[in-house]
Amino acid sequence: GGAYSSYRQAPEGIERFSPNMLLFLAAHRPGLDHPEQWEYQWNLIDGWLRRTEPGQMLRNSNNYYDLVIHPRSFDRELKALKGISLGDWNEVRRGSPARGEPVSWHTPGKDHLNQYVNARLLWNADLDLDALLEEYYTLFFGPARDAMQAAVEYAENNYTRPGRAQFTAWKDRIRYVELLNAALARAGDTVYGRRIQLMIDEIQPLERMREAEALEQLRGDAPEYSGAINMANKKFQASQDTFVLDGKADELFWTVYSGGRGLADALTGKKPAHRTGFMGRWHQDKLYFVIDCADEAGAPLNITATEDGDPAILEGDHVEILLETDVNSYYRIVVNPAGALLDMDMADEGAGAQWSSMAEVAAHVREDGWSVEVCVPVLGEDEGMLDPLHNVVGRLPTSTWPWHFNIGRVRVRDDSREFSAFVPTGKESLQDRSKFARFATR
């Protein structure tokens, strides 16, 4: 029997399971050096132990935590589980061929110490962790031994606990990489240096993180849109392939879960004169949006372009999707009621109007408004950098590695313009990165 996620807790209505029931218990391991988190974990384990026969538990934990290094959590639980658990099943992330990554261990630099400690303690849970780590720092990093101990201990001491394990504060990530660079300088061009370089290469460059930290300070408490469902989730399996690019959101792909949000007046933040709502989805390395724009019943729309790439689109009714990925800042995708598309790479050294998102777009006009569907293919960084003139480039946006974005609508009538935005900018323009919201799939 598997115990995981929302059914991780032992069922109160069952006093004792059949003696042939083997429990596969999946629970998070980082943070178990925190008293509150340890109490929760042990109560979870104890609830199952009281209902199952001795020796009928197998522990599982994944390691899908960016930069979360936690050898002491392994040590505490594996020592406590000695003689209780049959063993341990620990997952590591592998690369995605769809993002141009090799099908191999995704982040061995970041994950290797967790897995090394896990493996050694599974052979002998009575090992002295401090002695084990002393040997590891000395033999694995040579002349950079003390500097790497400082870096690893900094990472372990500064990820969030209790609750979800994350190492996302830019100041902490920056300091960690600075410590790794100091260790690299000591190791030089040696096998020890190459091991440290592997760890550094799995993290964003320092200059990019410093830029992100400065921008985050400008953004303050930016709102987050976490309604972008990752359709790879099995519970959405029946709706995954129902998408039809027709500008309407009437198929199961959209209706299985709403997650819709509305836009506000970009100047005042109040309810706009004309309602606009949007939803997001992620499926098979493509980002989907549907944007619905209410308007005056029977009134004509202001369509100023019918061909892709025509800048006249900006003079009439249109919607905009502004996307800042973990790799690029930022992309601008504009669509009007005729389904005409204008896209630009807005990064300081980007390709500008020469860039193409390769997005598929469809618009639908009805009696009281119009709507558009936009399907944007996304490439991994290595693959995307081979062709800087095409495609959005970035990794899957998550709460740990979010993108930032804004969505806006411009309604043009005579000499007036009505601006709406997910995050109001306080002006008649949407091009303000300090107002971008966090964007993450779930």
Side-chain angles (χ1 to χ4, degrees):
Y4 181 60
S5 187
S6 60
Y7 49 94
R8 185 182 294 134
Q9 297 281 355
E12 295 181 1
I14 299 177
E15 184 174 336
R16 195 77 178 169
F17 280 96
S18 173
N20 67 341
M21 200 282 284
L22 172 67
L23 174 69
F24 184 84
L25 175 60
H28 302 307
R29 181 162 275 147
L32 296 184
D33 52 353
H34 188 283
E36 181 181 326
Q37 200 133 332
W38 175 251
E39 182 181 8
Y40 168 82
Q41 186 87 335
W42 192 253
N43 286 339
L44 180 72
I45 292 170
D46 185 61
W48 287 102
L49 292 179
R50 287 186 282 107
R51 292 168 171 82
T52 56
E53 293 296 309
Q56 291 290 86
M57 176 185 292
L58 181 66
R59 267 290 277 124
N60 166 268
S61 183
N62 65 40
N63 206 50
Y64 296 172
Y65 308 93
D66 283 312
L67 299 186
V68 175
I69 300 173
H70 53 103
R72 297 190 186 281
S73 291
F74 278 103
D75 183 64
R76 183 168 194 178
E77 190 182 24
L78 288 174
K79 280 178 165 54
L81 288 175
K82 181 182 178 181
I84 294 175
S85 174
L86 284 169
D88 209 68
W89 172 297
N90 206 260
E91 304 170 25
V92 295
R93 183 179 295 158
R94 70 172 190 172
S96 167
R99 291 196 292 269
E101 300 166 347
V103 183
S104 59
W105 195 356
H106 190 251
T107 49
K110 183 266 290 184
D111 289 334
H112 79 273
L113 178 57
N114 291 335
Q115 298 310 319
Y116 173 62
V117 170
N118 183 42
R120 290 294 302 271
L121 290 171
L122 285 173
W123 282 110
N124 180 7
D126 295 324
L127 282 176
D128 182 324
L129 180 65
D130 290 331
L132 178 66
L133 292 175
E134 175 76 19
E135 178 189 59
Y136 161 75
Y137 293 128
T138 301
L139 298 183
F140 204 63
F141 296 114
R145 178 217 174 284
D146 292 343
M148 279 305 301
Q149 180 177 359
V152 170
E153 289 181 351
Y154 183 85
E156 184 173 24
N157 291 335
N158 287 280
Y159 73 84
T160 57
R161 44 166 101 64
R164 181 169 183 173
Q166 298 183 81
F167 191 60
T168 55
W170 288 115
K171 65 178 182 61
D172 292 335
R173 299 174 75 91
I174 289 168
R175 181 58 182 153
Y176 175 56
V177 177
E178 288 174 342
L179 290 170
L180 289 179
N181 283 331
L184 181 62
R186 291 194 182 187
D189 186 16
T190 64
V191 65
Y192 309 110
R194 289 193 290 275
R195 290 167 180 167
I196 299 168
Q197 188 65 57
L198 174 65
M199 300 172 74
I200 294 172
D201 288 344
E202 293 174 354
I203 310 169
Q204 287 176 302
L206 260 180
E207 59 272 16
R208 190 179 298 163
M209 289 196 288
R210 286 173 176 149
E211 290 174 3
E213 181 186 34
L215 188 58
E216 187 177 75
Q217 291 172 351
L218 283 175
R219 287 172 175 157
D221 296 327
E224 177 171 319
Y225 175 67
S226 56
I229 294 299
N230 186 344
M231 300 297 286
N233 192 315
K234 288 184 179 179
K235 65 181 178 180
F236 300 119
Q237 190 168 1
S239 55
Q240 288 171 351
D241 299 321
T242 63
F243 176 77
V244 178
L245 187 70
D246 58 6
K248 297 179 286 186
D250 54 0
E251 61 267 37
L252 197 58
F253 184 87
W254 295 111
T255 60
V256 68
Y257 177 87
S258 173
R261 299 290 292 273
L263 306 189
D265 186 285
L267 290 169
T268 66
K270 297 180 180 179
K271 184 178 179 180
H274 298 86
R275 180 196 60 79
T276 307
F278 74 92
M279 289 188 287
R281 297 283 188 272
W282 179 281
H283 186 44
Q284 295 182 340
D285 296 301
K286 292 182 180 180
L287 182 59
Y288 296 79
F289 285 103
V290 62
I291 305 173
D292 185 82
C293 306
D295 216 302
E296 305 293 339
L301 302 173
N302 188 351
I303 299 175
T304 53
T306 57
E307 299 293 330
D308 290 351
D310 186 347
I313 190 175
L314 300 173
E315 302 305 316
D317 293 346
H318 63 275
V319 294
E320 299 196 19
I321 302 170
L322 309 176
L323 291 175
E324 174 185 313
T325 74
D326 61 308
V327 173
N328 192 75
S329 249
Y330 61 102
Y331 302 107
R332 184 183 187 188
I333 300 173
V334 183
V335 186
N336 74 356
L341 171 68
L342 178 69
D343 40 20
M344 290 163 274
D345 180 354
M346 304 292 287
D348 291 339
E349 299 179 358
Q354 298 180 49
W355 175 79
S356 170
S357 64
M358 306 298 289
E360 298 178 85
V361 174
H364 170 71
V365 177
R366 60 179 188 275
E367 176 69 13
D368 60 349
W370 58 287
S371 57
V372 297
E373 286 180 311
V374 182
C375 172
V376 185
V378 180
L379 298 182
E381 183 171 7
D382 291 342
E383 184 180 4
M385 291 307 177
L386 296 175
D387 182 5
L389 297 181
H390 299 90
N391 293 104
V392 167
V393 178
R395 76 175 77 193
L396 172 71
T398 65
S399 58
T400 302
W401 291 96
W403 292 3
H404 288 81
F405 86 120
N406 208 352
I407 284 185
R409 174 189 179 185
V410 180
R411 183 178 183 273
V412 181
R413 294 296 180 274
D414 298 326
D415 295 329
S416 67
R417 287 179 176 240
E418 179 184 331
F419 286 81
S420 304
F422 178 55
V423 182
T425 59
K427 51 192 172 185
E428 291 188 346
S429 172
L430 303 172
Q431 315 307 311
D432 185 346
R433 289 177 61 205
S434 70
K435 302 295 183 182
F436 282 15
R438 290 163 59 91
F439 180 89
T441 59
R442 53 180 298 186

